[in-house]
Amino acid sequence: MPSEIRVRIAPSPTGDPHVGTAYIALFNYVFAKKHGGKFLLRIEDTDQTRSTLDSEAAILRALHWIGLTWDEGPDVGGPYGPYRQSERTDHYRSAAVDLIARGAAYPCFCTPERLESLKAAQRAAKQPPGYDRRCRSLDSAEAQARRASEPHTVRLAMPREGVTRFVDELRGDVEFSNATIDDQVLLKSDGFPTYHLANVVDDHLMKISHVIRAEEWISSTPKHVQLYRAFGWEAPLWVHMPLLRNADKSKISKRKNPVSLDYYRDSGFLPEALLNFLGNLGFSIGDNREKFTVAEMVAGFDWKKVSLGGPVFDLAKLTDLNGQYIRELSVEELLNRLHSWRLSDEYLRRVLPLEHQRIERLDQLIPATSFFFSGDLDHRPVLGELVPQGRDGASTAKVLADLVEALDNVRPWDKQAIEPVCRNFADSIGWKTKELFMAIRVAVTARTAAPPLFDTLEVVGKELCRRRLRSAAEMLRTATP
Ligand code: GLU
């Protein structure tokens, strides 16, 4: 074991805070604490078109909500910063130049058009996609001269024969045949690195001892191993955690399971119950015990207790565990939890203006606003109202499911941003806005009369709205023969 344990999570700020990020973060955190090491958070925002600061803030907030803290990161600083890759581009550029000098990478002058037609030809010939390495054989003096004036990427010169081996803590020896691995782009023509280069350079500079990440990255690891070798750096130890799965064993996806941490917060899961639940996925503390704290997990942690058999993210199990945690709270603690959830003055101040003018007695408030304080709703009683007159259940189900995708990129989630997306969506499918808006209202509130639609969507929150739209669609789909 290396003398200093340093581990990290490296989320890309391109979407909502994902349960998978919390899962990987938890195991990194626990491993670091077990060995008195450090846990870092690094933002991998090399994809300039998809990364946003809103997404970064949402990820940090959600990880804090669940109860994880890090020793170094963009918000807390640390000795190896900056911890945001967009602020570290000089490191990657000089690393790429260094790799070229070492003969482990080469400049590639192929145009996007050439790469596109290469791809099309490979597709037509049913060959696996990949770069044909044309620029790899350029004369080095010529390549050197063209680098100064022509746009180019930098590619990894993968060995063409043999295998790349590494040891995975959970899987033992893993090997990939080099011939199957593409000459990966390391530096894009705009001078920004790809994930592979930035990830390896930073793990080295940040002195990461163990890379603990999701299984989906394992096919990248041989490229990373080659990069460490080419730089002459010692590689970290590798741990690829099993992928989380839906109940049908497919890779966990937002189509089948809520994956945003905000969904769990807003529908009333306790962070410690969710963490405990994540800790049970692929890990057993022993004695068939499923309920344990993070501190207990740290005390009992060992990679030998992690198994690879595709852990299933089972919402019913989580709900059951959450119930156990709730029952153990004192009434006073429960009250505090409710206050920090949606019974906060802050949230009530957003809900009240929407009903204020519509009630005549105080006792009408709670029934009128119950959908602001619920997670999932039962759409059965309003199934008929979901479908606009003259439309059918199956097409309405598709519309609602497609709308969920259209709303995915609305960030920040406020009415100014939501409304135009819904209007354009209605246009694009040839529905009257009135038809679509009623279907949305019924899906999100399970009633036909509710406060103004876009205010309602804003206050209910993105993840609950999307979940309800999806489950209304699902309900229609199963109800329609
Ligand atoms: N940026 C990658 C992600 O989004 C990091 C993967 C890794 O840990 O190497 O998960």
Side-chain angles (χ1 to χ4, degrees):
M1 185 105 49
S3 55
E4 201 196 358
I5 302 293
R6 290 176 58 81
V7 296
R8 83 313 189 261
I9 44 161
S12 297
T14 54
D16 297 308
H18 198 284
V19 283
T21 305
Y23 175 58
I24 299 298
L26 171 65
F27 280 81
N28 273 282
Y29 175 90
V30 165
F31 179 67
K33 297 297 150 198
K34 171 92 195 172
H35 297 286
K38 294 274 191 288
F39 170 51
L40 286 65
L41 185 143
R42 178 174 76 228
I43 292 292
E44 298 209 330
D45 55 350
T46 53
D47 185 341
Q48 288 289 291
T49 52
R50 293 176 58 227
S51 298
T52 66
L53 282 173
D54 270 332
S55 166
E56 175 186 317
I59 293 170
L60 300 195
R61 185 179 26 71
L63 290 173
H64 279 309
W65 168 76
I66 205 171
L68 293 173
T69 50
W70 37 94
D71 303 296
E72 299 169 29
D75 51 344
V76 290
Y80 298 95
Y83 293 89
R84 204 178 274 118
Q85 289 188 325
S86 57
E87 295 164 17
R88 306 173 55 82
T89 46
D90 286 351
H91 289 300
Y92 316 129
R93 286 190 197 129
S94 57
V97 171
D98 181 26
L99 282 178
I100 297 177
R102 290 165 179 265
Y106 59 94
C108 172
F109 304 95
C110 291
T111 60
E113 294 73 32
R114 169 163 199 272
L115 297 175
E116 211 34 66
S117 62
L118 179 64
K119 212 191 274 174
Q122 286 166 337
R123 213 178 298 131
K126 298 206 162 38
Q127 287 167 351
Y131 180 56
D132 63 0
R133 305 184 175 92
R134 180 195 266 188
C135 292
R136 186 159 166 175
S137 49
L138 284 180
D139 170 71
S140 67
E142 180 194 340
Q144 176 73 7
R146 286 174 67 185
R147 256 169 75 195
S149 57
E150 280 183 46
H152 61 276
T153 61
V154 175
R155 287 183 185 271
L156 173 64
M158 252 323 270
R160 308 207 36 192
E161 279 150 18
V163 292
T164 301
R165 272 199 198 91
F166 56 89
V167 180
D168 178 289
E169 185 70 44
L170 301 174
R171 290 151 224 267
D173 288 335
V174 179
E175 72 177 44
F176 282 83
S177 156
N178 292 334
T180 60
I181 302 174
D182 205 10
D183 279 4
Q184 178 70 50
V185 171
L186 301 174
L187 202 66
K188 295 177 270 186
S189 55
D190 61 4
F192 268 87
T194 59
Y195 155 70
H196 304 279
L197 180 65
N199 188 269
V200 164
V201 167
D202 283 348
D203 282 345
H204 170 71
L205 293 177
M206 295 179 181
K207 299 201 163 42
I208 296 303
S209 61
H210 295 69
V211 166
I212 304 165
R213 62 183 166 199
E215 183 180 338
E216 61 184 306
W217 301 102
I218 201 164
S219 58
S220 299
T221 306
K223 297 173 190 171
H224 299 181
V225 168
Q226 290 297 341
L227 282 170
Y228 281 101
R229 234 174 252 170
F231 284 121
W233 297 336
E234 193 185 337
L237 299 172
W238 309 99
V239 188
H240 293 89
M241 294 295 292
L243 274 189
L244 302 184
R245 308 214 169 253
N246 299 309
D248 64 5
K249 292 277 175 186
S250 56
K251 175 182 163 185
I252 194 168
S253 71
K254 53 189 171 189
R255 271 170 230 282
K256 304 214 171 116
N257 243 321
V259 293
S260 169
L261 290 167
D262 292 348
Y263 166 80
Y264 296 93
R265 179 198 59 198
D266 293 346
S267 43
F269 288 93
L270 304 185
E272 66 271 36
L274 181 53
L275 263 187
N276 184 167
F277 172 76
L278 293 173
N280 272 311
L281 297 177
F283 172 76
S284 29
I285 202 161
D287 313 330
N288 286 328
R289 192 149 60 95
E290 295 214 325
K291 188 164 176 297
F292 48 83
T293 62
V294 173
E296 287 166 338
M297 187 172 169
V298 170
F301 190 75
D302 191 326
W303 290 118
K304 291 197 186 73
K305 297 181 182 172
V306 176
S307 63
L308 292 174
V312 173
F313 196 100
D314 180 345
L315 206 48
K317 260 195 158 164
L318 167 59
T319 308
D320 179 70
L321 191 61
N322 199 57
Q324 295 182 42
Y325 275 88
I326 288 188
R327 289 193 291 279
E328 282 178 9
L329 297 175
S330 67
V331 168
E332 213 40 47
E333 283 164 340
L334 179 58
L335 190 59
N336 285 338
R337 296 309 183 99
L338 288 165
H339 282 157
S340 57
W341 180 65
R342 296 207 143 173
L343 294 185
S344 63
D345 286 356
E346 187 199 345
Y347 190 69
L348 289 169
R349 278 200 187 92
R350 299 176 67 199
V351 171
L352 294 183
L354 303 181
E355 272 307 321
H356 185 177
Q357 305 302 320
R358 299 151 61 106
I359 55 170
E360 295 176 311
R361 290 195 325 244
L362 297 179
D363 72 336
Q364 292 166 350
L365 183 82
I366 287 174
T369 57
S370 62
F371 56 88
F372 287 112
F373 304 94
S374 315
D376 297 343
L377 297 179
D378 181 4
H379 292 102
R380 276 169 303 187
V382 289
L383 218 48
E385 272 75 40
L386 272 171
V387 183
Q389 277 208 331
R391 307 270 176 200
D392 61 63
S395 59
T396 306
K398 179 158 181 358
V399 163
L400 293 179
D402 290 348
L403 178 66
V404 174
E405 302 311 315
L407 292 171
D408 195 8
N409 286 325
V410 176
R411 215 172 279 113
W413 184 256
D414 57 32
K415 59 181 176 182
Q416 290 78 4
I418 306 166
E419 180 165 354
V421 173
C422 293
R423 288 190 182 278
N424 291 340
F425 182 78
D427 283 350
S428 73
I429 58 166
W431 276 31
K432 294 199 198 77
T433 47
K434 211 173 98 192
E435 295 177 301
L436 179 69
F437 292 0
M438 181 52 103
I440 301 176
R441 169 173 294 113
V442 176
V444 172
T445 67
R447 22 183 117 183
T448 48
L453 181 62
F454 298 107
D455 296 86
T456 301
L457 299 185
E458 177 180 322
V459 176
V460 166
K462 180 176 184 179
E463 290 315 313
L464 288 186
C465 286
R466 296 180 76 226
R467 167 83 169 169
R468 293 176 189 175
L469 287 164
R470 202 173 264 134
S471 62
E474 201 47 47
M475 189 67 80
L476 277 175
R477 214 175 279 132
T478 46
T480 329

